[in-house]
Amino acid sequence: DQQVKQNSPSLSVQEGRISILNCDYTNSMFDYFLWYKKYPAEGPTFLISISSIKDKNEDGRFTVFLNKSAKHLSLHIVPSQPGDSAVYFCAASAYGVTGTASKLTFGTGTRLQVTL
Amino acid sequence: KAGVTQTPRYLIKTRGQQVTLSCSPISGHRSVSWYQQTPGQGLQFLFEYFSETQRNKGNFPGRFSGRQFSNSRSEMNVSTLELGDSALYLCASSSKVAGGAFGEQFFGPGTRLTVL
């Protein structure tokens, strides 16, 4: 059972435009969400995260939005650059009351291609 | 700070053999997690170690095992290899941030295991 879903396997966006990557989750215990970027032959690189107590977190060109009622989050990249071309993974975690790390549950990824 | 390192980077084994992969976390990080990445399944959580104890475990058979040493370095072992074990094995480390919760995980480049 896929608890974190990225329904778009690929996305193509023109340079300078907005890229919107979507992610849905089913487990209501998830309270911490992360986005990772992955280039071929490299490990995933952390991009941005959001706690369930927030609905938006911004870091430079990257903004993550969380809609808890819809169990949906999205990553906005504005403006998109050719170097943003990579596979983007959404991940979720349930910290629980002890505040200890729990496993990350990943989506299957969305391949973003930013064209000139 | 040096990043997460994994050795070896590439490995070719035959069915029935066993393999040991190694991971050195970022200095000061005490939590080490292992993930398997395959084209169809994305990143799947194997297990997490903290202070030499397995704290979380994913849904993998007992052929997959791990351990963590007092210096936080971790090893992962797969016995009786099967063709389906061919994958990229990623190690990630994390540390506690202010407030007690764990922050994002930092990934190594992975070990590409091919089982023939």
Side-chain angles (χ1 to χ4, degrees), chain B residues 29-51:
Chain B
H29 286 194
R30 293 166 63 191
S31 169
V32 174
S33 299
W34 288 89
Y35 295 83
Q36 180 196 65
Q37 185 186 10
T38 55
Q41 298 292 320
L43 280 87
Q44 305 237 299
F45 174 80
L46 281 154
F47 28 66
E48 182 215 358
Y49 285 86
F50 179 77
S51 292

Side-chain angles (χ1 to χ4, degrees), chain A residues 69-80:
Chain A
S69 60
K71 293 191 175 69
H72 176 84
L73 64 155
S74 61
L75 174 68
H76 293 210
I77 306 173
V78 183
S80 301

Side-chain angles (χ1 to χ4, degrees), chain A residues 37-43 85-87 111, chain B residues 9-10 88 109 112:
Chain A
K37 177 168 76 171
K38 188 179 186 301
Y39 294 116
E42 293 182 14
S85 298
V87 178
R111 183 177 300 279
Chain B
R9 290 294 309 276
Y10 302 92
L88 180 67
R112 171 74 61 187

Side-chain angles (χ1 to χ4, degrees), chain B residues 8-22:
Chain B
R9 290 294 309 276
Y10 302 92
L11 206 49
I12 299 176
K13 292 284 189 178
T14 55
R15 276 182 301 175
Q17 286 188 308
Q18 69 100 28
V19 67
T20 299
L21 313 181
S22 181

Side-chain angles (χ1 to χ4, degrees), chain A residues 36 38 41 43 95 99 101 103-104, chain B residues 9 35 37 45 100-102 105 108:
Chain A
Y36 283 84
K38 188 179 186 301
Y95 273 123
K103 64 180 184 179
L104 285 180
Chain B
R9 290 294 309 276
Y35 295 83
Q37 185 186 10
F45 174 80
F102 279 78
Q105 295 186 6

Side-chain angles (χ1 to χ4, degrees), chain B residues 72-92:
Chain B
S72 294
R73 191 178 71 84
S74 177
E75 286 183 348
M76 190 193 103
N77 186 77
V78 188
S79 62
T80 321
L81 284 166
E82 300 177 0
L83 295 179
D85 296 333
S86 295
L88 180 67
Y89 289 89
L90 292 158
C91 163

